[in-house]
Amino acid sequence: MNSQRSSDVLVVGAGIAGLSHAIAAVERGLSVTIIDRDARAVGASIRNFGHACVTAQTGELAELAQVAREKWLRYGSLAGYLHVESGALAIARTAAESAVLDELARSRESGQVRLLTTAEVRRHLGEASDPAIRGGALLRDDLRVDPRQAVGALAAWLAEQPGVAFWWRTSYLGASDGVVRTTRGDFRAERTIVCVGHDLDLLHPELAEQYQVERCALQMARVEAPEGLVLGPAVLTGTSMLRYPAFAETDAAAALRVEMAARHPELVDIAANVMFTQRPDGTLIVGDSHRYGVTQDPFLAESTSATLLDEIAKILGVTGLHVLERWQGVYASSARQPFLIAAAEPGVTAAIVTSGVGMTISLGLAERTFAGF
Ligand SMILES: Cc1cc2nc3c(=O)[nH]c(=O)nc-3n(C[C@H](O)[C@H](O)[C@H](O)COP(=O)(O)OP(=O)(O)OC[C@H]3O[C@@H](n4cnc5c(N)ncnc54)[C@H](O)[C@@H]3O)c2cc1C
């Protein structure tokens, strides 16, 4: 923290969205103050899988994801967080899932979605993995970062740049006419960019209502990996194919949707996206379920965790998984649009990812925000 109270840009929120905007300001030679209500970022940006889900996006999300991909790599080297050009592994366990992967592979330039044999999938997941696995696909452009490391490392790198100041444990109260009101007094900035994720509804409720922003709560866990498992890519399943647009927009997805409802109502009930990634210490981040609402119950249903853990144990071919940690993550969600860049007040812009792809697109979204100034 330093004494800077006046800057070209003030960013509210030090999650991946706020840091992405601070980086975009620094790249333009602007001075920037970043405030966050906590002593360090502990929101959605450290609670996720660290999966930059680039290949399975379409349209403008795909464009933002490709811009973000380049920046994850560039700043990974500068800031020193784990970043792996691993791609992602989508596994198929039914004919309907294979049909989605086949159709996606056919629609992409060669090599972007590479179909895999059962043996190739087992090379990633181990020989004991689910006998139902009939193949898969490697999604070339996906990246993996360690979420618990990346955001802190980016903040530390930014703090060393000239013209950058962080004010932690400092809450934003509102802004007008270039004056930003906080719990530590007033700041001045030409532009204020509000990147508070799902807390938009607390700070600019009229904007949250206009864009139909609500909260999505997800149940997650960190588990011990089966012995010897070394995973490069994030692992996605049939449930992921019903979520990410490039899969979900295939013709073949319709049959998969029907099949999933008939064969796995327990996964459909919790709106599961069964997937996992490996942390640098070897443990697995596993999840996740989705619950939508303006206000979220704080209670985590054990049956939801059990459903997810059973499914992942089955994929890995083990009888059970030893849970080390459980947590709830919350992100902003809107049925209307996957992100918003909107004026909250004159000189105040809210930049919020309103879908579960903030790690995938935020570094690209910041470019879009600045292009609009
Ligand atoms: C469990 C889970 C798994 C996910 N997996 C993935 C994934 O693998 N890939 C992917 O692309 N995306 C994933 N996402 C989505 C992604 O994590 C989010 O979209 C992204 O982290 C949102 O970033 P953010 O900076 O907007 O929010 P946050 O990280 O929540 O940051 C918001 C910051 O604003 C601060 N703040 C709030 N109010 C104030 C205030 N009044 N004053 C000052 N500061 C304030 C908070 O302290 C916080 O640090 C996942 C999300 C969850 C929850």
Side-chain angles (χ1 to χ4, degrees), residues 12-19 35-38 40-53 168 170-173 195-199 203 216 218-220 244 275 288 327-332 351-353 355-362:
V12 184
I16 189 58
L19 298 181
I35 67 169
D36 196 288
R37 67 178 173 204
D38 265 304
R40 61 194 161 82
V42 290
S45 302
I46 69 155
R47 300 180 192 209
N48 58 57
F49 295 96
H51 171 219
C53 180
W168 298 102
T170 304
S171 288
Y172 169 78
L173 301 173
C195 300
V196 294
H198 58 271
D199 285 322
L203 297 167
C216 177
L218 301 81
Q219 287 185 216
M220 301 283 286
Y244 297 120
M275 62 172 284
D288 59 15
W327 64 97
Q328 174 169 261
V330 179
Y331 63 70
I352 312 285
V353 180
S355 55
V357 293
M359 295 295 274
T360 306
I361 66 163
S362 289

Side-chain angles (χ1 to χ4, degrees), residues 247-259:
F247 300 120
E249 290 167 12
T250 59
D251 292 338
L256 176 58
R257 201 163 282 114
V258 171
E259 178 184 87

Side-chain angles (χ1 to χ4, degrees), residues 53 56-57 216 218 237-249 253 256-257 267-268 270-275 288-292 331 333 355-357:
C53 180
Q57 305 304 326
C216 177
L218 301 81
T237 65
T239 52
S240 320
M241 297 178 204
L242 297 178
R243 261 184 180 271
Y244 297 120
F247 300 120
E249 290 167 12
L256 176 58
R257 201 163 282 114
L267 295 176
V268 175
I270 60 170
N273 174 10
V274 178
M275 62 172 284
D288 59 15
S289 55
H290 296 80
R291 197 157 33 90
Y292 298 88
Y331 63 70
S333 173
S355 55
V357 293

Side-chain angles (χ1 to χ4, degrees), residues 204-223:
H204 292 290
E206 66 302 327
L207 211 55
E209 278 161 23
Q210 183 187 341
Y211 287 90
Q212 295 170 17
V213 178
E214 53 180 7
R215 291 162 182 239
C216 177
L218 301 81
Q219 287 185 216
M220 301 283 286
R222 187 166 70 89
V223 302

Side-chain angles (χ1 to χ4, degrees), residues 281-304:
D281 66 3
T283 59
L284 303 178
I285 300 176
V286 305
D288 59 15
S289 55
H290 296 80
R291 197 157 33 90
Y292 298 88
V294 172
T295 295
Q296 287 288 347
D297 278 343
F299 313 111
L300 303 185
E302 190 54 27
S303 58
T304 299

Side-chain angles (χ1 to χ4, degrees), residues 37-177:
R37 67 178 173 204
D38 265 304
R40 61 194 161 82
V42 290
S45 302
I46 69 155
R47 300 180 192 209
N48 58 57
F49 295 96
H51 171 219
C53 180
V54 179
T55 318
Q57 305 304 326
T58 56
E60 60 179 355
L61 286 179
E63 287 165 26
L64 295 176
Q66 287 290 353
V67 175
R69 182 182 196 281
E70 294 310 310
K71 289 202 177 199
W72 272 125
L73 297 176
R74 186 176 341 140
Y75 288 100
S77 304
L78 290 172
Y81 51 79
L82 174 97
H83 56 292
V84 192
E85 286 189 81
S86 52
L89 171 67
I91 63 167
R93 291 182 289 168
T94 69
E97 291 171 358
S98 293
V100 170
L101 298 182
D102 288 350
E103 187 178 332
L104 180 62
R106 278 198 306 275
S107 72
R108 293 297 176 95
E109 66 171 73
S110 118
Q112 206 189 20
V113 176
R114 187 166 70 80
L115 294 174
L116 302 178
T117 62
T118 310
E120 286 174 311
V121 174
R122 285 202 203 291
R123 233 168 272 146
H124 287 281
L125 296 180
E127 285 309 315
S129 51
D130 192 344
I133 291 172
R134 46 184 291 142
L138 194 70
L139 313 179
R140 184 192 65 196
D141 294 345
D142 289 27
L143 299 179
R144 207 164 50 71
V145 298
D146 183 42
R148 301 188 187 194
Q149 203 188 42
V151 170
L154 277 175
W157 179 83
L158 271 166
E160 287 171 1
Q161 306 311 305
V164 176
F166 277 86
W167 286 70
W168 298 102
R169 296 171 63 210
T170 304
S171 288
Y172 169 78
L173 301 173
S176 56
D177 301 325

